Amino acid sequence: MSDFMAYMIKANAAIIIFYAFYRLLIFKNTYFNVRRFSLVSIILFSAIYPFVDISSWLAAKEPIYVMISPYLSEAVIVADKPAVSQINIEMIITNLYILISLLLFIRMIFQIGQIYYLKYKSKQVYNNGKCLNVINGDSSPFSFFNMVFINPEKYEENELNQILNHEFTHVKEGHSIDVVLGEMVCCAFWFNPFVWLLKQEIRVNLEHLADNGVINHGAVPSEYQINLLKITTAFSENKLVNNFYIPEFKRRIKMMNTIKSKRKSLLKYAFLFPIALLLLFASNARAIVNHIHDNILSTEIVSTKDVIVSGVVKDDQNQPLQGVSIIIENTNKGTLTNSEGEYKIETPVSSNLVFSYIGFASVKKNVTENTKTLDVKLSKEAVVKDEVVAVAYSPKNQQTKKETKKDKKSNDDDVFTVVEQIPEFVGGTGKLLEYMNNNVKYPELALKNGIQGRVMVSFVVNKDGSISDVEVVRGVDPLLDEAAVKAIQGMPKWIPGKQKGQTVRVKYTVPVNFGLQKQSNTPAQNAPTTNVQPSDTNSEPIFTVVEDVPTFTDGDKELMAFLAKNIKYPVEAQIKGIQGKVIVGFVVNSKGELIDPTIKRGVDPNLDQEALRIVKMMPNWIPGKQRGKAVNVEVNIPIVFRLQ
C-alpha cells in the first residue's frame, strides 16, 4: 500500500469517527463557541495526525545497532517509502482522485474570484460607519471575510439592522475562515460523505453564533425569527459566503428557543482527547510494534553481551601448551594458544569455552559477566569426546560415493580446520594448479550453454595424505559441480597437515574457476576453450576460525556508515512489502581483497542483488591472521532490510 492510500484511509477514518461522536454527544449542545473550536479541531487533526510520528516519544534512547563482525552481525537498512512510483492500478486510481480534487479546488478559487469581482462591480455605501457593498436584484444578503453584500432598498430599517448585525458578527468573528477550511477539506476528501456533513455542521454552527450576535445586540428573539421567515428569497449559489438565509433556518429558530445547555455538558467535549490519542496510537501501530521489538532485541543484546576472556593453558607439568584449540561451544568461532600458552577470545556471557588438545582430555569452562581471566590446565588422559570438539566437526551431506574401510576409520578422528602445519599438494601450489588444469574437464553441455563460474569444493586430507569427504560447498551448476568433484576425488595423496607435531586430518577448501575465453575472429580459435584454475585465494586454505579476524579498514563503525550511505532499498521490494535478512558470504584473502561474494541465505532476488552489489563495491579489508600470518578467511555479513 502506498503512503498516499495509507494517509487517505487514516484521515477519512478519523473524520467518520469524529462525526459519529459529534452527532451522538454534541449535536444539540448550545455552547456554540466550544462547538466551533471542536469542529475546526476535528478537521485539522484528521488532516494532520497521519503525519505525526510518535516513535521518537516512545524511545527512551537511540536504537541499538549490532556492530558488524565476520561471525555475527547485521546491518539494518530501513525504508520509509519507495523512492519512485510505478505504473499500476493503484497509481491510476490515485492520479484520478487527485485530478478530481484539483478540479474542486480550482472551482473554489473561481468562486472566490467571483466574490471579488462582485465587490469590484458593486457600489460601496456606509451605514452607521460600516461599509456595505450594494448589490441589485433579489440575492440574499451575505458576507465574506470583511465584505458585506446587501440590497438596502429591499428591507425595512428594523430588518436591515438585524441583517447587518448578523453579517457583521460573521465578519467580526472571522467565520469565513471556517467556511473556507471546510470547503478545502471537501476538495481533499470529496468521496467521503461524512466530510460534506461535517462541512454543513460548520456552516449551521456559524449561523447559530451569528443569530446569538443579533439577539445580544438587543433584538427581540420572536421578531428576529419572524424576519428569518419573511426573507424567503433565494440564497446565493456561491458556497463560500455566509448567507443570512440558509435552508436550515427552521433548525436555527428551534435552537434559539432551546434552553441553554448545562455547564456539565461541556464534559462531553473532553471525549475528543481520548479519541484523538487512540487514533494517534493506531496510526503509529507499526512504530509501536517496532519499538517493542527493539526493546526486546536490546534486552537480548544486553543479556548476551560479549566479554573478552584471556588466560594461559598449561599441562600437568605446569608447562605452557602451544596450539590448544579454544572454541565457543555450539559455534565455529575460536582461537589457538601461542607459544607461551596464552590466548584471548571474545565470547558471549553464559557461553562455554571448550579447550582441546591432542592427547589431552578436553575441558569445558563457563563464562560469566565477571570472567576476565581464565587459566586452564589440561591432563594427559584418554580424550572423552564432547558434543563439540575443538575446531572439529563431522562432514555433512555430499561424501565420496565410495569410502574405503580406511576412510571410515579415519572418520572417527577429529577433522581440523586450523592447524600449525597445513596440508600441501606434493610439489607445492604450482603442481596443484597444473594438476587442476590437466584433470578438470569442462563439460561439453556447459560449454554449449555458456555456463561458467566458481565452484567451491571442500575435502579432508587424511593422516596418510589421501582425500575423502569431498563436497561442494558452493556450486554453480550440477555439470560444473560434478566436474570439480571428480577432479578432486582423483587427486594423488597430499602431504598431510600436522598439529603439535602429530599428523591430523584437516579440512581443506579449493575454489575452482570455470571460465570461457573470448572467441577471436580466427576460425582456429573459435572453438570453445576453458581456463580452469583455483581462484584468487591461490589455493591456500580458507579459514573460518582465526586468531585475528578480518576487519573493515576503519573499523565496524565505518563499515556501518559505508553500508548506510551506499545501500539502496530496491523500489520493487518496497512496493511489494518485501523485507527480511540477507546473509552475504565472501572471502577476505591474504591481501585484504574480497573474493567470491555470494548469497548464503536469500530473501528476494531484488534484496539479494542489492546486498551483493554493496559487498562488491567495498574497499579492501584488513586481512585476518593466523599465527601472525595473513590468511584467507570466510566472512558472513547479515544485512536486514526492514520497512517502516
Side-chain angles (χ1 to χ4, degrees):
M1 181 186 298
S2 67
D3 286 350
F4 177 78
M5 295 298 292
Y7 169 80
M8 296 302 296
I9 291 174
K10 293 177 182 179
N12 283 281
I15 290 172
I16 295 172
I17 293 172
F18 278 125
Y19 181 78
F21 164 80
Y22 170 84
R23 291 290 298 188
L24 288 173
L25 298 179
I26 303 177
F27 182 68
K28 296 182 180 181
N29 194 279
T30 61
Y31 286 98
F32 303 122
N33 280 311
V34 180
R35 186 195 294 190
R36 178 190 179 191
F37 176 79
S38 300
L39 289 170
V40 172
S41 298
I42 287 172
I43 289 177
L44 294 177
F45 180 85
S46 300
I48 295 173
Y49 92 97
F51 297 110
V52 178
D53 183 5
I54 64 173
S55 58
S56 59
W57 303 346
L58 296 173
K61 57 183 178 179
E62 292 295 322
I64 295 177
Y65 293 94
V66 184
M67 299 306 293
I68 290 185
S69 72
Y71 298 100
L72 178 63
S73 55
E74 50 185 55
V76 180
I77 309 302
V78 180
D80 292 327
K81 60 183 179 182
V84 295
S85 60
Q86 293 191 353
I87 297 177
N88 50 34
I89 298 299
E90 184 176 317
M91 190 172 92
I92 294 173
I93 295 174
T94 300
N95 290 337
L96 181 61
Y97 182 92
I98 294 174
L99 177 62
I100 295 175
S101 295
L102 184 61
L103 292 175
L104 291 173
F105 183 78
I106 292 173
R107 187 191 69 167
M108 184 185 73
I109 299 298
F110 178 74
Q111 289 173 340
I112 294 175
Q114 284 182 316
I115 297 172
Y116 280 94
Y117 179 71
L118 182 60
K119 180 181 184 301
Y120 172 75
K121 288 178 57 180
S122 63
K123 177 183 176 181
Q124 281 78 42
V125 298
Y126 287 86
N127 182 287
N128 295 328
K130 298 177 181 178
C131 181
L132 305 177
N133 296 278
V134 178
I135 57 176
N136 299 319
D138 295 329
S139 295
S140 174
F142 67 88
S143 62
F144 185 71
F145 286 97
N146 63 344
M147 299 176 288
V148 175
F149 298 82
I150 191 171
N151 185 353
E153 298 178 356
K154 285 185 57 181
Y155 309 104
E156 297 178 0
E157 182 177 356
N158 185 44
E159 293 176 345
L160 180 61
N161 289 334
Q162 291 182 356
I163 293 172
L164 292 180
N165 286 334
H166 181 100
E167 297 303 332
F168 277 104
T169 300
H170 285 310
V171 172
K172 181 180 178 181
E173 297 182 2
H175 293 172
S176 292
I177 297 175
D178 302 40
V179 174
V180 172
L181 182 62
E183 195 68 28
M184 291 177 64
V185 172
C186 286
C187 292
F189 308 113
W190 53 266
F191 75 97
N192 187 347
F194 292 94
V195 171
W196 301 93
L197 293 174
L198 195 60
K199 184 186 80 167
Q200 182 179 347
E201 290 302 319
I202 291 174
R203 298 293 299 273
V204 172
N205 188 65
L206 295 177
E207 295 304 320
H208 292 327
L209 287 169
D211 291 340
N212 279 352
V214 175
I215 294 173
N216 291 336
H217 275 83
V220 178
S222 58
E223 292 181 1
Y224 178 61
Q225 294 167 12
I226 292 172
N227 287 336
L228 285 179
L229 293 173
K230 289 168 71 175
I231 303 173
T232 56
T233 56
F235 59 91
S236 173
E237 293 182 359
N238 195 309
K239 304 300 182 181
L240 296 178
V241 298
N242 295 298
N243 286 101
F244 180 77
Y245 170 85
I246 62 172
E248 297 262 357
F249 74 93
K250 291 182 180 180
R251 180 175 164 190
R252 291 166 57 186
I253 293 174
K254 182 179 179 181
M255 190 61 74
M256 278 186 276
N257 295 323
T258 300
I259 299 175
K260 187 176 181 180
S261 302
K262 297 180 180 180
R263 293 186 65 86
K264 66 179 182 180
S265 66
L266 288 171
L267 294 175
K268 296 178 180 179
Y269 291 93
F271 286 99
L272 287 171
F273 294 100
I275 293 175
L277 287 176
L278 287 174
L279 288 169
L280 266 178
F281 279 99
S283 176
N284 288 268
R286 178 174 290 179
I288 295 172
V289 171
N290 287 341
H291 172 69
I292 296 173
H293 175 268
D294 290 341
N295 282 343
I296 295 173
L297 177 61
S298 173
T299 303
E300 291 175 351
I301 293 173
V302 172
S303 65
T304 60
K305 64 182 180 181
D306 290 351
V307 294
I308 297 177
V309 179
S310 60
V312 179
V313 181
K314 298 181 179 180
D315 61 12
D316 290 332
Q317 306 301 318
N318 212 33
Q319 296 297 314
L321 290 174
Q322 179 181 358
V324 176
S325 299
I326 301 102
I327 296 295
I328 302 173
E329 188 177 32
N330 297 323
T331 74
N332 197 28
K333 182 180 180 181
T335 186
L336 298 173
T337 56
N338 60 18
S339 59
E340 303 297 326
E342 299 171 340
Y343 73 93
K344 181 183 288 187
I345 188 170
E346 185 175 358
T347 181
V349 172
S350 301
S351 63
N352 292 322
L353 293 179
V354 180
F355 297 79
S356 299
Y357 192 70
I358 295 178
F360 290 77
S362 296
V363 173
K364 183 190 297 184
K365 295 288 185 179
N366 182 256
V367 175
T368 66
E369 187 174 355
N370 297 322
T371 303
K372 305 297 181 184
T373 303
L374 191 60
D375 296 332
V376 176
K377 181 174 288 187
L378 299 182
S379 302
K380 288 187 177 180
E381 297 177 357
V383 177
V384 179
K385 291 194 175 184
D386 209 322
E387 290 182 0
V388 177
V389 181
V391 278
Y393 57 93
S394 298
K396 298 176 181 179
N397 302 329
Q398 301 177 6
Q399 296 182 337
T400 51
K401 293 182 179 179
K402 296 182 179 180
E403 285 187 337
T404 63
K405 292 182 179 180
K406 188 174 184 179
D407 290 334
K408 293 180 180 179
K409 183 178 180 180
S410 68
N411 284 341
D412 294 332
D413 296 329
D414 296 341
V415 179
F416 284 76
T417 56
V418 181
V419 289
E420 297 172 351
Q421 183 176 333
I422 64 175
E424 184 179 359
F425 192 84
V426 178
T429 301
K431 287 294 183 181
L432 175 60
L433 294 174
E434 181 181 343
Y435 171 84
M436 296 297 289
N437 280 314
N438 292 335
N439 290 273
V440 177
K441 305 300 181 183
Y442 213 127
E444 292 294 332
L445 185 57
L447 284 171
K448 180 179 179 182
N449 294 330
I451 301 172
Q452 56 183 332
R454 179 181 283 110
V455 180
M456 303 288 288
V457 183
S458 70
F459 53 91
V460 174
V461 179
N462 296 307
K463 293 181 179 180
D464 62 354
S466 62
I467 304 300
S468 66
D469 304 302
V470 182
E471 62 177 336
V472 175
V473 178
R474 184 167 67 246
V476 175
D477 180 85
L479 295 171
L480 302 187
D481 298 348
E482 184 180 359
V485 168
K486 285 183 178 179
I488 299 297
Q489 288 175 339
M491 279 185 178
K493 290 185 177 182
W494 285 42
I495 299 172
K498 293 184 178 181
Q499 177 72 10
K500 197 62 178 178
Q502 297 187 27
T503 302
V504 293
R505 302 177 71 222
V506 181
K507 192 177 185 71
Y508 200 95
T509 302
V510 173
V512 183
N513 277 346
F514 288 79
L516 296 174
Q517 292 181 346
K518 294 182 179 180
Q519 298 181 1
S520 67
N521 294 327
T522 307
Q525 294 179 333
N526 282 340
T529 58
T530 62
N531 176 21
V532 183
Q533 58 183 13
S535 71
D536 300 332
T537 54
N538 296 323
S539 294
E540 295 178 359
I542 298 176
F543 289 78
T544 56
V545 179
V546 289
E547 295 171 346
D548 297 321
V549 299
T551 58
F552 194 74
T553 304
D554 297 317
D556 289 343
K557 185 176 180 180
E558 290 300 320
L559 175 56
M560 293 294 292
F562 173 87
L563 290 172
K565 179 181 178 181
N566 294 282
I567 204 160
K568 298 177 181 178
Y569 209 122
V571 175
E572 185 176 349
Q574 293 182 49
I575 293 174
K576 295 180 179 179
I578 299 173
Q579 54 185 339
K581 182 189 295 183
V582 179
I583 298 181
V584 184
F586 54 90
V587 174
V588 179
N589 67 13
S590 57
K591 298 178 183 178
E593 300 167 337
L594 275 60
I595 308 299
D596 299 326
T598 186
I599 299 298
K600 292 297 186 68
R601 189 179 75 197
V603 175
D604 175 80
N606 292 303
L607 301 186
D608 299 349
Q609 289 302 315
E610 177 60 19
L612 277 178
R613 183 191 70 83
I614 198 67
V615 169
K616 290 179 180 178
M617 67 181 294
M618 282 185 183
N620 289 354
W621 286 36
I622 299 173
K625 292 184 178 181
Q626 181 67 20
R627 308 195 68 78
K629 180 183 177 182
V631 293
N632 305 321
V633 182
E634 184 174 359
V635 176
N636 293 323
I637 293 183
I639 300 178
V640 175
F641 292 82
R642 182 185 300 159
L643 290 170
Q644 287 188 346

